[in-house]
Amino acid sequence: EYIAVPLAIDPQVIYFNRNLVNEVQVEIPSGDWHWDHLADIARRLTHGGQYGFQFRPTFTHIASLMVSRGGQLYQKDGRVAAHTECFESTIRFIYNLLHTHQVTPILAKADQINLFAEGRCGLALDGSAMYHAYREKLGDALGVTVLPGSETNGIYACAYVAVVLAGQEDPRPAEELARVLLTANSQRLQYQLSGNLPVRKDMLNDETLQSLKLPGAISRLFLQELSRSRPVNLPADPDHRQAVDNLFLELWLGLDSIDALNRRFHEL
């Protein structure tokens, strides 16, 4: 048997490569901004095998995008929210990034490649767990800012749980377990869930984040986004989610027209 202990939520942020941004002489906002502004910056960053904006067809990234644009990926009843105005506009926004403006790499698998870490992409949507990995690759060129649309209190957050063997615990004090959980090297030992889990927000404080060697400014940004987060609606059942995921994969790969994809989302 296993015991799962919900501990923390992970706010989504925008990472940016200062070197690439400086080359095209654009300024990345540190406060409120919007997705059309990000798309314009991404277009200016895209040239010569270099992309403007990296995100992936995963539940976390798509749900984050939906929420920060004022909607939800799923309705409260767990059915896809395809009949809302925000859903269709966000689908078109993703399609334009991928296939019209071609500012986003077509990364069908979550772990396929990370162009941002390779210095070939100017912006990336990711959680705080990627900070150290990106810092190792980019050094002082790594910048972090808030997700567009966050002025609407629309940050999506993942919940993390620590899994330990039942009967073999009292493994560590809770605070130490939280630090292990938040360390990038322990990601392979975690399950990433979403939704309205009971979260130990008291463990995510400035002291904990400083113990992970996060700079003070970055710690404050993560804590700020944590305080603004809200849960997202979850899919009704695994089969329904699989159907939604498959359609998003078709969208990502450009296997159908945007109008046909919107119709098929409506039919789910």
Side-chain angles (χ1 to χ4, degrees):
E1 295 184 18
Y2 293 86
I3 296 176
V5 185
L7 288 177
I9 60 179
D10 181 21
Q12 301 295 295
V13 295
I14 294 293
Y15 293 94
F16 61 95
N17 186 321
R18 297 183 192 276
N19 293 338
L20 299 184
V21 166
N22 290 338
E23 283 179 12
V24 297
Q25 298 181 331
V26 298
E27 182 178 351
I28 304 298
S30 59
D32 296 341
W33 59 325
H34 50 81
W35 282 101
D36 289 338
H37 189 185
L38 182 145
D40 179 63
I41 292 174
R43 286 194 288 271
R44 296 176 65 179
L45 286 164
T46 302
H47 59 84
Q50 174 182 302
Y51 287 91
F53 178 47
Q54 174 182 281
F55 73 116
R56 306 173 188 280
T58 65
F59 179 83
T60 299
H61 286 184
I62 294 170
S64 300
L65 184 56
M66 287 283 180
V67 171
S68 66
R69 288 174 58 86
Q72 283 268 17
L73 178 53
Y74 291 98
Q75 303 174 107
K76 288 185 177 180
D77 64 2
R79 308 300 294 176
V80 66
H83 295 278
T84 63
E85 181 179 347
C86 175
F87 188 95
E88 182 168 337
S89 68
T90 302
I91 293 298
R92 292 185 180 277
F93 179 78
I94 294 172
Y95 189 91
N96 286 335
L97 289 178
L98 285 161
H99 305 297
T100 303
H101 305 303
Q102 297 181 338
V103 300
T104 295
I106 299 176
L107 303 173
K109 296 181 180 179
D111 57 352
Q112 185 178 36
I113 191 173
N114 194 315
L115 294 180
F116 183 79
E118 294 180 4
R120 290 183 52 202
C121 194
L123 307 168
L125 167 63
D126 261 309
S128 58
M130 289 301 295
Y131 176 80
H132 286 296
Y134 286 156
R135 178 74 177 183
E136 181 181 350
K137 294 289 187 179
L138 301 180
D140 292 338
L142 178 64
V144 186
T145 190
V146 297
L147 208 65
S150 57
E151 71 274 12
T152 62
N153 194 32
I155 295 300
Y156 167 69
C158 307
Y160 287 102
V161 297
V163 180
V164 297
L165 284 171
Q168 298 183 26
E169 61 271 358
D170 201 22
R172 295 170 181 168
E175 290 78 6
E176 187 175 344
L177 187 58
R179 291 188 179 95
V180 172
L181 178 69
L182 292 169
T183 301
N185 289 338
S186 66
Q187 295 300 304
R188 59 189 175 81
L189 303 176
Q190 300 170 18
Y191 288 95
Q192 187 177 19
L193 304 177
S194 57
N196 207 359
L197 290 174
V199 173
R200 290 292 304 274
K201 288 189 178 182
D202 59 300
M203 292 183 180
L204 276 183
N205 51 45
D206 197 49
E207 180 183 356
T208 300
L209 293 177
Q210 284 184 13
S211 74
L212 300 173
K213 304 189 186 311
L214 286 174
I218 302 301
S219 296
R220 288 190 293 274
L221 184 145
F222 286 146
L223 290 171
Q224 168 195 315
E225 296 308 286
L226 175 66
S227 69
R228 297 157 67 98
S229 65
R230 62 188 174 102
V232 299
N233 297 329
L234 296 177
D237 57 67
D239 289 340
H240 181 69
R241 173 170 176 168
Q242 184 66 45
V244 173
D245 288 350
N246 286 343
L247 272 185
F248 271 109
L249 186 57
E250 289 195 42
L251 165 66
W252 217 264
L253 299 176
L255 300 183
D256 208 344
S257 71
I258 182 61
D259 292 329
L261 286 165
N262 270 318
R263 186 194 72 248
R264 293 168 64 194
F265 273 115
H266 278 259
E267 293 171 351
L268 285 179

